[in-house]
Structure formats: structure tokens, C-alpha cells
Amino acid sequence: MSIARDFTKRRFWARFATQTLAAVGFFAVFAGLTDALFPDVLPPIGAFLIVAVSVISIGYGLFQSWPRPVQQIYNSPNTEIHIVEGDLFEQAGNIVVGMTNTFDTEIPHIIDENGVQAQLLTRVYRNDRAALDRALDAELGAHPIIQRFTPDDRKPGKQNIYPLGTTIAIAPSVRKLYFCVAYTEMNVKCEARGTIDGIWRSLNNVWDEVRAKGNGDPISIAVIGGGQARISQYFPAQDSIRFIALSYMFASRKEKISSRLNIVVEKRAVRNLDMLELQAFLKSLRPS
């Protein structure tokens, strides 16, 4: 993930200033104590000494505040969280795919052809919608249908409605699972809507399913809320990432989910993120 953007953030410059001044303070205290205990040992303050202290202090400040890849390793539970810029479907390990509570798959009029759900069809199932529907239906058979659209609704696409948070795992290839979770509700106009409470409950279901079937392998999830959930106006990507990480860590403390969580951010969304703030947040999730 590019780190150049972090140089434009106030948090970087605040940390740089703090660390640089801390280094200057250390030298000042060191010099004062040395002069008090061992008079005449230190050379007179000259230009060389001022330059040397300044260079070392600035170097220390840069080292401490220099942007790094956003990731955090935890010992309890034994797992990692990485914030990754890139393509969700190119990540190693298993993948979470957000869906509606009807598990519709038809694009582009019912499902946004640019969304993660559509990419599962076009990239993983190579536009073979019948194969994807068979895989979904085979797993959904074990889950209750809570309601059906009626003919009067005239909703195109699938008619069965499943409970919010329903999660199933499909395996179109060997050793890679796609955890499909219904985190938004579909209406008769084929408009998907999500809520923060619904997303939280859905994530908890996802972690349970990943824990049961994921074999501890890394799991990757896209930033949620900005697409079909239609809640980006009060749930921006920065909050969504913190939300996912918090949910994952709470669930991991109950029982380990996987060796690593990748929260994958599209390139177009990265420029709006404060990576240093996210790093600080991930660090704050360590047990106290």
C-alpha cells in the first residue's frame, strides 16, 4: 500500500514533531546531568554539536513516525489483521462475499455488475450463473426461508427471503472457500438496504462459519457499506474498516477464527483513508 499519502496527514506531522522534540529533550537532559556530575567533561556548545543533535533528533523522529504497511500482530488471540490495497479476489486464503437476503445473482439489473457479488459470478464462476445458483441452493437448503415475494410484488429474480446474516460456504475450487453472507435486505424494487446493526450481526455469523469451516486459513473481506448496503453516507470506509476489525477481534477472543484477516480496500478508496489512524486503532485492539 502506498505510504506517500500518509505524509499529507496531520497525524504523521504531529507524531514526527513529538518524537523529534522527545529526542531533543533526551539530549538536553543527558547534557544537563553530565555537566552536573562531571563538570568540564562536555565540550562547549558549538555549531557542530547543534547540527549533530538536530540531525540525530530529526532522524529519530522520522524513524518513529515513518508510515509503514498497516498491520498488527496479536498474541492473544494468535492472529493478525492487515489492511491491504488491492483486489479481493486475488488474495490468498478464503474470501467473504456480501450478498442480499435473497441471494440474487442476476446482473446487471438486479445485482450491480461492479460489486463483489457480481465479481463472484463473472470472475470465479466465469458468468455461469446456473452453476453459481446450484452451489448457493445446495447450501441454502439447510437454512429456513422466512418469507417469499408474492406474484403481486412482481419482483424479478429470486423470490425466497432468508434471515439477515445467513451465511453459507461454497467451494468452486479446491482449498478455497467463499463465505456468502446475507448482510442487506432486498426489496421488491431490487434495492438492497443495510443497517449497521444488521451488518454487525451478519459479521458475527460470518466469523462463526469461518471458524467452523475455514481451517484457520487467512480470510479476506472487502470494505462493506459503500456498495449495495447504501449506508456510506454515515458509515464511511474508515469506520467500516474499524467496524470489521473490532467485530473480528471480539469474535476471536471467544475462539480463534483464522490466522489472518485481510481487509481489502479498493485503490479508489485508499486516498480517503487515514492509514496512521487505522494503525493506531489496530494497535489499540491488543489486550490491555
Side-chain angles (χ1 to χ4, degrees):
M1 185 173 291
S2 175
I3 60 176
R5 286 180 291 267
D6 293 330
F7 293 127
T8 65
K9 304 296 183 182
R10 179 183 298 177
R11 181 179 290 268
F12 167 78
W13 292 107
R15 182 173 175 79
F16 169 70
T18 301
Q19 296 297 325
T20 300
L21 291 175
V24 172
F26 169 79
F27 282 117
V29 171
F30 176 78
L33 290 174
T34 302
D35 190 53
L37 297 174
F38 308 101
D40 302 326
V41 170
L42 295 177
I45 297 176
F48 175 79
L49 186 60
I50 293 175
V51 171
V53 169
S54 299
V55 170
I56 293 173
S57 299
I58 292 173
Y60 176 79
L62 284 173
F63 175 77
Q64 290 294 327
S65 54
W66 190 267
R68 298 173 174 85
V70 183
Q71 59 190 52
Q72 186 66 47
I73 298 174
Y74 304 92
N75 294 323
S76 179
N78 182 20
T79 190
E80 305 173 11
I81 297 179
H82 296 242
I83 299 175
V84 180
E85 176 183 348
D87 188 331
L88 174 66
F89 289 90
E90 292 182 355
Q91 304 303 312
N94 303 318
I95 290 176
V96 175
V97 178
M99 291 192 155
T100 69
N101 61 348
T102 55
F103 289 88
D104 272 295
T105 55
E106 185 178 341
I107 58 174
H109 301 299
I110 298 179
I111 300 300
D112 180 6
E113 58 187 340
N114 297 315
V116 172
Q117 189 174 345
Q119 292 184 58
L120 175 66
L121 170 63
T122 58
R123 298 175 61 181
V124 179
Y125 281 85
R126 301 187 181 282
N127 284 311
D128 188 348
R129 188 157 62 90
L132 174 57
D133 285 341
R134 282 197 299 273
L136 294 173
D137 291 342
E139 297 298 326
L140 286 171
H143 294 269
I145 298 171
I146 59 172
Q147 189 178 349
R148 289 184 174 87
F149 289 104
T150 67
D152 291 339
D153 293 328
R154 298 181 180 178
K155 176 197 172 294
K158 298 185 178 181
Q159 305 299 306
N160 296 335
I161 302 175
Y162 294 87
L164 201 63
T166 297
T167 304
I168 58 175
I170 58 177
S173 60
V174 178
R175 302 189 64 179
K176 194 175 189 72
L177 293 174
Y178 293 84
F179 291 92
C180 302
V181 53
Y183 77 102
T184 58
E185 295 179 313
M186 183 74 92
N187 64 22
V188 296
K189 298 179 180 179
C190 291
E191 296 172 337
R193 301 284 180 182
T195 64
I196 292 178
D197 177 64
I199 292 173
W200 181 265
R201 287 189 283 123
S202 299
L203 285 173
N204 285 334
N205 288 358
V206 167
W207 306 141
D208 286 342
E209 196 74 3
V210 172
R211 184 189 294 117
K213 299 180 178 177
N215 199 33
D217 292 340
I219 183 75
S220 297
I221 185 172
V223 177
I224 56 180
Q228 62 179 8
R230 291 185 170 90
I231 56 174
S232 60
Q233 69 275 17
Y234 58 87
F235 195 55
Q238 187 92 9
D239 290 344
S240 175
I241 292 172
R242 289 186 290 209
F243 196 77
I244 294 170
L246 187 64
S247 168
Y248 177 79
M249 286 305 296
F250 277 173
S252 294
R253 288 175 184 175
K254 183 171 65 175
E255 189 177 350
K256 183 176 179 179
I257 298 171
S258 72
S259 59
R260 167 172 168 164
L261 169 67
N262 295 319
I263 303 175
V264 184
V265 186
E266 292 181 330
K267 184 174 294 185
R268 62 183 177 182
V270 168
R271 62 177 179 270
N272 297 322
L273 300 179
D274 184 339
M275 293 301 176
L276 295 174
E277 191 277 335
L278 290 174
Q279 179 64 70
F281 179 77
L282 294 184
K283 188 175 181 179
S284 73
L285 296 179
R286 295 180 302 178
S288 56

